[in-house]
Amino acid sequence: MALTRREFGKMALASVPAVAMFENPLFAQARPNSVIDGVTLGAITYSFRSMPDQSAEATLKYCVDSGISAIELMGGPVNDYARKRTGFQPPAAAGGGRGGPRGGGPGGPGGRGRGADPAALTGSWNGQACAPAQPGTDPVTGNEPLTPAALAGGRGTPTPEQIANAEAERKWRLGLSMDIFKDLRKMYNDAGVNIYAVKDIHQETDADLEYTFAVAEALGASHVTIELPSGPTAGATLKRLGDWGARKKIYVAYHTHAQGSMTAFDEAFRISPGNMANVDLGHFVAGGNRGGTPLDFLNKFHGRIASAHLKDRTLPQNCALNLPWGTGQTPLREILQLMRTNRWTFPGTIELEYAIPEGSDAVKEVANCVSFCRRALA
């Protein structure tokens, strides 16, 4: 008996297990597209940190469900995927580690976010005075201050056990096949999501840097991201990383918090052509727009921007709040329209940091940010 095309399609769908239809976002909905009128809009996986599953597969589903087709992928989902593929069980490490987001939780209405000068938080927002910091906490974030050791991946001096565990994981990492990461890239690309950046730089030795850039290349990233270094060794770090990036043709893009300004990247740009900006334009506002506005920064340095983080924050004299998009003082509409007008191709990265309203979740809020961008570019 001959089958019509429609009958054949129904039989084909019936033969697909229900679990596969649920797990594969391509069966659940159309491929996402967050390129809006020529402006590439992405997200960083940190935006989904409050979601229960932090695996690479779940992160992909969060992207698709929120309408995001481009991602700055952090090390957590990448390493989780590699561990599953190899069966590697990371040694238990007491005293903290590098697995989770650093820098404290998000700010919200009535609270502060990261990246402002504590001494400047003496004003008000919408008639309400800036909330004072609690004793023993960071006056900007409201969280326990992170020490330099904690920012580097642990709290205090590492124990011999921690050192041994870290070396075991390092040995496993350096022995990984890049086919694992090529498969991860394919899974994302097949669902309509492009990996444009990776935030997971290992720089202890040349072998670690070789691994970092090999993973980025396998994932299809144009740049790797890292916090902008400071202190007496910053110049040497900027030179080493930037030159590696130039050789590998994968940029190193530096992220900014309170230090964001019109001159924050001068040394990085001068010291190596492989250095780029992963500027956070929300933190730029919360830091006081030092030397100019986000629009000034974009106009001057657009050729050295690999990607730009977007969030809505208030000025330090207005409590440096993280707020739902369109209710703060970051000129988000103007930023997006400037990107469109000039046909700049670097992605604008959603970094969700405002307090998630009751009854919502990170996926819904990232989708709301995407909707804001569509309205701004309509």
Side-chain angles (χ1 to χ4, degrees), residues 31-51:
R31 290 158 65 90
N33 182 7
S34 55
V35 179
I36 306 170
D37 203 8
V39 176
T40 298
L41 189 69
I44 184 170
T45 49
Y46 181 75
S47 296
F48 303 115
R49 66 197 174 280
S50 61
M51 300 300 290

Side-chain angles (χ1 to χ4, degrees), residues 2-15:
L3 295 175
T4 66
R5 183 175 298 176
R6 177 174 294 181
E7 289 169 336
F8 181 82
K10 288 181 179 179
M11 289 181 62
L13 283 175
S15 68

Side-chain angles (χ1 to χ4, degrees), residues 3-257:
L3 295 175
T4 66
R5 183 175 298 176
R6 177 174 294 181
E7 289 169 336
F8 181 82
K10 288 181 179 179
M11 289 181 62
L13 283 175
S15 68
V16 178
V19 66
M21 294 180 66
F22 175 78
E23 292 176 349
N24 190 333
L26 291 177
F27 283 99
Q29 63 192 86
R31 290 158 65 90
N33 182 7
S34 55
V35 179
I36 306 170
D37 203 8
V39 176
T40 298
L41 189 69
I44 184 170
T45 49
Y46 181 75
S47 296
F48 303 115
R49 66 197 174 280
S50 61
M51 300 300 290
D53 188 344
Q54 294 295 300
S55 68
E57 294 85 353
T59 298
L60 173 58
K61 189 174 191 313
Y62 303 150
C63 289
V64 173
D65 288 349
S66 59
I68 287 291
S69 59
I71 189 75
E72 178 184 346
L73 199 58
M74 295 178 74
V78 176
N79 294 328
D80 172 80
Y81 185 82
R83 287 167 183 154
K84 288 178 180 176
R85 283 285 299 268
T86 61
F88 176 75
Q89 294 294 326
R98 297 179 57 171
R102 297 174 289 178
R112 288 176 295 273
R114 298 178 293 173
D117 177 4
L121 298 177
T122 56
S124 64
W125 178 248
N126 288 340
Q128 183 173 349
C130 300
Q134 296 299 313
T137 62
D138 183 296
V140 175
T141 65
N143 297 311
E144 178 187 351
L146 288 178
T147 64
L151 288 171
R155 295 180 180 273
T157 303
T159 66
E161 181 185 21
Q162 288 174 321
I163 294 173
N165 289 344
E167 184 56 32
E169 182 147 358
R170 178 177 178 272
K171 183 178 179 180
W172 162 77
R173 186 175 66 243
L174 294 181
L176 289 173
S177 167
M178 290 300 110
D179 288 343
I180 293 172
F181 305 104
K182 292 176 183 177
D183 289 346
L184 177 57
R185 173 186 181 179
K186 184 177 187 302
M187 180 176 73
Y188 271 63
N189 290 172
D190 285 351
V193 179
N194 170 56
I195 302 170
Y196 59 85
V198 182
K199 187 163 190 169
D200 193 30
I201 293 184
H202 301 274
Q203 55 180 304
E204 294 82 359
T205 67
D206 286 356
D208 292 293
L209 274 180
E210 187 69 35
Y211 167 85
T212 290
F213 285 97
V215 170
E217 181 180 18
L219 291 173
S222 66
H223 57 288
V224 294
T225 59
I226 188 174
E227 303 301 310
L228 183 67
S230 61
T233 63
T237 300
L238 291 168
K239 175 69 173 171
R240 179 171 178 248
L241 295 182
D243 287 353
W244 269 84
R247 286 198 302 271
K248 296 295 183 178
K249 295 181 172 56
I250 295 175
Y251 293 117
V252 180
Y254 302 94
H255 186 67
T256 47
H257 289 270

